[in-house]
Structures are given as structure tokens and as C-alpha cells.
Amino acid sequence: MADEESASISADLGNSNEPLDADVMSTDRSSSTTKTTTVSTIPDAVTTTRSSNFLYIVEPLANITINSGKEARIKCHVKGNPPPKFRWFKNEAPFESERRGRITIRKEHDGSKIRIRNLDVPDTGYYRCEASNGFQKVETTGILKVLMGIWAIRTSPLMRMLCRQIGPLQQRRRRQFRQSPML
């Protein structure tokens, strides 16, 4: 059969992240000519290439110095495709939210943030944000330094105990002073 054509398909597998294209070769046996047409086997809307997978730090974590009793917000500003998952560490140990809500970790559209309320000196440390999207991993580190403030001195358990003991003494002295005759 002179008009019969035979077709063979060869696919270039190459890199698994690249789209697959197929060469369809038609051979006309009567004239011994070969015609090659390239056909994409994956629709453009579904094609994923290496260039569309990205992950980068928009802004590194800032170093913060703040008085105790205040609130600190540490933001990890990362963008990526696919969207990244975040993990937080304090002094290289995994860091998680507290049940009572003093420490909260939230994911946002452009990253993740930690909020620590009622800061205390033991909250001082190296805070590291690690973001991963399955293709890449990035991390950034910042230092939180909590200073012993006046508020912390007034509300520390030791100071409250001393104030309870000294308070009545001061009140007695004031009464004695008011009751003593003026010279």
C-alpha cells in the first residue's frame, strides 16, 4: 500500500520539570519523504517549570531591644510559589505558641509573625524563621533583647512581697508623724 503512512512518536524526557514535547513523524512510503511535526503533550496552563518555583526573603528579621512588660512582634517576610510553610526556633529549639495566649504565631499572606505579650527577660534570645516550599528552604535570624524595666521591678514577685511588708510600716510611720506634736 503506497499511500499508507506509518507514524512514530518519540518523546524527549529530559528534565522532569520541563514540559514533554512529542515529535510525530509521518513517512509517505511512495515518495520516501518524512514530515516531522512537534506537538506539546501537556497544555500550557498546566505546565510547571523551574522558573515558576521560587522562595525568597523579602526582609530579614530585625534585631529588637525592648523593655519587659511590653509586647514584641517579630515578622518573617517571605514570598514563594508554592506558598511556604514556616517553622520558628528560639535559640535553635523549636518554638511554638503558648496555650494561654502570651505567645502567638500566625501565618499571613506575605509571611509569618510571632507576637509575645508581657515580655520578660527570659524571652531574650535568637529567633529564627525557616520557610520551605518543597523546592527551596530559606531562613533568617533576629535577636530579641528584653531589658529589665521599671514595670518589671514593680510587678516582680519579690518586689510585691517587699511592698506588702514595707507598706504597713510606712502607713504606721505616717500616722505616728501626724500624731506627734509639732515643736
Side-chain angles (χ1 to χ4, degrees), residues 8 19 30 37 41-42 53-54 57-58 60 83 110 115 117-118 132 141 160 168:
S8 64
S30 63
T37 308
T41 57
I42 300 176
N53 298 324
F54 63 90
I57 298 170
V58 175
D110 60 348
R115 184 179 75 178
R117 295 184 302 151
N118 195 17
S132 172
T141 301
R160 282 189 296 219

Side-chain angles (χ1 to χ4, degrees), residues 2-86:
D3 294 335
E4 258 188 61
E5 293 183 358
S6 63
S8 64
I9 298 176
S10 64
D12 176 21
L13 296 177
N15 189 332
S16 62
N17 289 334
E18 299 293 328
L20 295 177
D21 290 335
D23 291 333
V24 179
M25 296 191 314
S26 303
T27 306
D28 184 354
R29 289 189 182 169
S30 63
S31 63
S32 298
T33 59
T34 303
K35 182 172 109 178
T36 304
T37 308
T38 302
V39 178
S40 179
T41 57
I42 300 176
D44 289 338
V46 180
T47 303
T48 302
T49 62
R50 266 183 281 163
S51 62
S52 66
N53 298 324
F54 63 90
L55 185 66
Y56 64 94
I57 298 170
V58 175
E59 188 176 340
L61 292 182
N63 294 334
I64 302 170
T65 301
I66 193 166
N67 287 329
S68 60
K70 303 285 185 181
E71 180 177 288
R73 292 174 190 244
I74 305 171
K75 181 155 185 183
C76 182
H77 196 161
V78 174
K79 292 206 177 201
N81 185 34
K85 293 187 181 188
F86 294 91

Side-chain angles (χ1 to χ4, degrees), residues 59-173:
E59 188 176 340
L61 292 182
N63 294 334
I64 302 170
T65 301
I66 193 166
N67 287 329
S68 60
K70 303 285 185 181
E71 180 177 288
R73 292 174 190 244
I74 305 171
K75 181 155 185 183
C76 182
H77 196 161
V78 174
K79 292 206 177 201
N81 185 34
K85 293 187 181 188
F86 294 91
R87 291 179 56 198
W88 285 91
F89 299 86
K90 177 186 173 197
N91 299 330
E92 298 303 321
F95 188 71
E96 296 178 3
S97 297
E98 286 183 354
R99 289 184 184 176
R100 295 187 330 212
R102 190 178 81 85
I103 298 171
T104 56
I105 299 174
R106 293 223 166 105
K107 186 173 186 320
E108 297 183 333
H109 69 284
D110 60 348
S112 176
K113 77 174 178 180
I114 294 178
R115 184 179 75 178
I116 306 172
R117 295 184 302 151
N118 195 17
L119 284 167
D120 201 0
V121 175
D123 293 320
T124 296
Y126 292 90
Y127 288 80
R128 179 168 53 101
C129 170
E130 181 181 284
S132 172
N133 67 356
F135 294 96
Q136 292 176 298
K137 181 167 78 168
V138 295
E139 60 184 49
T140 177
T141 301
I143 300 170
L144 174 64
K145 184 176 181 182
V146 181
L147 303 174
M148 184 74 147
I150 295 296
W151 181 87
I153 293 170
R154 288 185 195 158
T155 60
S156 71
L158 177 61
M159 286 305 290
R160 282 189 296 219
M161 181 186 73
L162 289 173
C163 288
R164 279 193 293 259
Q165 292 175 355
I166 293 173
L169 289 173
Q170 287 177 338
Q171 289 174 358
R172 273 188 255 145
R173 285 190 182 166

